[in-house]
Amino acid sequence: MIMIGIDPEYGPQVFKLDPAGYFVGFHATAAGQKQQEAMNHLEKKWKRLPGGSDDASAARETLSRAQVIEMAIEAISTVHATDYKAGEV
């Protein structure tokens, strides 16, 4: 399960939980049948961001909400090898 929330002190937070109760925080994550392919895509995109591989807070601050949504749709599109139209999402 993936849990996403807003922490008043640290801002947006993403955690992946397994059935045993173990959890890990991520900048971006995926789950499901093509999880590894999606994770590889997101990791490459994250590293290309200014400060993406060094300073997570700097990279996070450079992204707008629209850019985050666009990155997520691009990851889904890449994994499914399908071009999605705006009305299909």
Side-chain angles (χ1 to χ4, degrees):
M1 172 174 28
I2 297 173
M3 297 199 56
I4 302 169
I6 304 291
D7 183 285
E9 187 175 337
Y10 298 107
Q13 302 290 304
V14 177
F15 292 93
K16 187 184 253 184
L17 294 86
D18 71 11
Y22 179 72
F23 64 93
V24 178
F26 287 92
H27 299 296
T29 191
Q33 189 174 12
K34 296 192 175 189
Q35 170 182 328
Q36 192 57 51
E37 191 175 342
M39 291 289 289
N40 291 341
H41 176 81
L42 291 168
E43 188 174 315
K44 287 177 189 173
K45 295 293 280 185
W46 184 264
K47 287 182 178 179
R48 287 188 204 139
L49 294 173
S53 59
D54 299 332
D55 184 10
S57 61
R60 193 177 328 145
E61 290 173 5
T62 63
L63 291 174
S64 69
R65 174 181 253 174
Q67 289 170 314
V68 170
I69 293 169
E70 184 177 321
M71 187 184 297
I73 293 170
E74 185 179 314
I76 293 169
S77 181
T78 300
V79 169
H80 290 153
T82 305
D83 288 331
Y84 290 106
K85 295 180 178 82
E88 296 176 333
V89 178

